[in-house]
Amino acid sequence: MANQGKYIYCIIPTGDGINCPQEGIEEKTRVYPISYKDIAAVVSDTSLTICDPTRKNMAAHNRVLEALMKEHTVLPARFGLISDDEDKLRGLLAEYYDTLKNYIGRLNGRMEAGVKVFWQKEKVLAILKGKIQNFSKLQEAIRTAPSALAQALLVEAGRRIKSQSEEWQTKYGEEMYMRLMKVTVDGKRNYPIDISNILNASFLVDITREGEFDAAIYELDAKYGDWAKIRYVKPIPAYDFVNIEMFLK
């Protein structure tokens, strides 16, 4: 392959015995390690200098990480990181060696779990009708008012729903987050995805306490499940607990 670069997926503790059946970003490219001391960058050969963040490319990147996570502690690289050649990449591993080792040690035996909680529209509207004075009248006015007035009333209804959602994000989102933090190593609250998103958080969970974390999720679902929907994904690459910007030269 002309002008062969190295597309970087992640860093792992060792390159010995790596088994990654997934193809790389480009079809029919082999995924393999480039080692420095006792760490390795997992790469595939590429002719690209810039990798477009298409759904296909990002899915390929994530498939490699998911395959490696089954057998290795994975320090994920940001999408689209490409080194010119193997020597430059080894130089990068040497330059950031201590930092990479520290992060690998932090992630060893742990997984990232993502938790998102959304309120259910029908339940929320029922609660608002009972809680917010004249909300039912506002809904009826929207249905019967002329279009210009109806638009203004929709804005007012949206403001009230947004206010209620923010209240729940503060109250219930915090309560859910703190409950899960009791069985995790670390956590991070992220910005809500949309108005219905009460909690959007990532957690670093010790593998030995995975069952406890699962039980905490089930506990929250039993407590809030009649009006809130919990989306729980694990394990996922630990992007939220890695803060490295490696500058390729």
Side-chain angles (χ1 to χ4, degrees):
M1 183 182 294
N3 301 320
Q4 192 174 72
K6 309 298 177 185
Y7 182 92
I8 306 169
Y9 299 92
C10 62
I11 310 296
I12 61 175
T14 177
D16 297 333
I18 180 175
N19 177 26
C20 186
Q22 300 296 327
E23 289 184 337
I25 284 285
E26 295 177 272
E27 293 182 357
K28 300 181 181 179
T29 54
R30 181 174 64 92
V31 175
Y32 64 94
I34 293 177
S35 300
Y36 173 78
K37 292 186 177 181
D38 56 351
I39 64 174
V42 178
V43 306
S44 62
D45 295 333
T46 181
S47 59
L48 300 172
T49 56
I50 298 176
C51 188
D52 292 330
T54 63
R55 180 175 296 181
K56 178 181 178 182
N57 286 341
M58 295 184 76
H61 180 99
N62 288 329
R63 280 196 299 270
V64 172
L65 296 181
E66 290 167 1
L68 290 167
M69 285 168 59
K70 295 175 181 178
E71 298 182 10
H72 302 275
T73 298
V74 169
L75 180 58
R78 61 177 171 81
F79 175 85
L81 195 63
I82 300 173
S83 179
D84 290 345
D85 59 43
E86 186 169 327
D87 289 340
K88 288 185 178 181
L89 180 51
R90 279 204 171 89
L92 186 75
L93 295 177
E95 180 179 355
Y96 290 91
Y97 177 77
D98 290 341
T99 300
L100 295 172
K101 283 284 291 183
N102 287 337
Y103 270 107
I104 288 172
R106 174 170 165 73
L107 298 182
N108 184 41
R110 294 166 177 169
M111 67 173 190
E112 180 171 329
V115 178
K116 295 180 176 65
V117 183
F118 299 85
W119 47 254
Q120 297 183 50
K121 180 179 178 181
E122 294 77 11
K123 296 290 184 179
V124 170
L125 291 178
I127 292 171
L128 288 175
K129 286 178 181 178
K131 182 176 181 179
I132 298 179
Q133 187 177 10
N134 297 327
F135 192 80
S136 296
K137 292 181 179 179
L138 178 61
Q139 286 185 300
E140 180 61 27
I142 291 170
R143 284 192 289 268
T144 59
S147 59
L149 178 57
Q151 183 62 38
L153 293 173
L154 277 171
V155 171
E156 173 60 17
R159 186 191 65 78
R160 295 189 185 189
I161 292 172
K162 182 174 183 292
S163 176
Q164 181 65 61
S165 182
E166 289 173 347
E167 179 183 325
W168 285 345
Q169 287 168 8
T170 300
K171 181 180 179 180
Y172 297 117
E174 181 67 15
E175 184 177 323
M176 294 173 186
Y177 180 77
M178 295 309 298
R179 172 63 185 94
L180 295 173
M181 282 295 293
K182 291 181 179 180
V183 289
T184 63
V185 176
D186 200 0
K188 180 182 178 183
R189 291 192 71 171
N190 302 308
Y191 288 111
I193 296 172
D194 56 33
I195 194 174
S196 68
N197 188 198
I198 300 168
L199 178 65
N200 178 19
S202 301
F203 299 91
L204 188 61
V205 182
D206 196 301
I207 296 298
T208 62
R209 303 192 72 183
E210 182 178 358
E212 292 179 66
F213 192 82
D214 290 344
I217 292 289
Y218 300 145
E219 175 188 315
L220 293 176
D221 186 59
K223 185 174 182 179
Y224 300 107
D226 61 335
W227 62 271
K229 181 179 179 64
I230 299 177
R231 297 179 185 172
Y232 171 35
V233 182
K234 64 165 186 177
I236 55 179
Y239 284 109
D240 278 327
F241 301 99
V242 174
N243 184 24
I244 300 175
E245 185 62 52
M246 296 190 295
F247 295 97
L248 296 171
K249 299 176 180 178

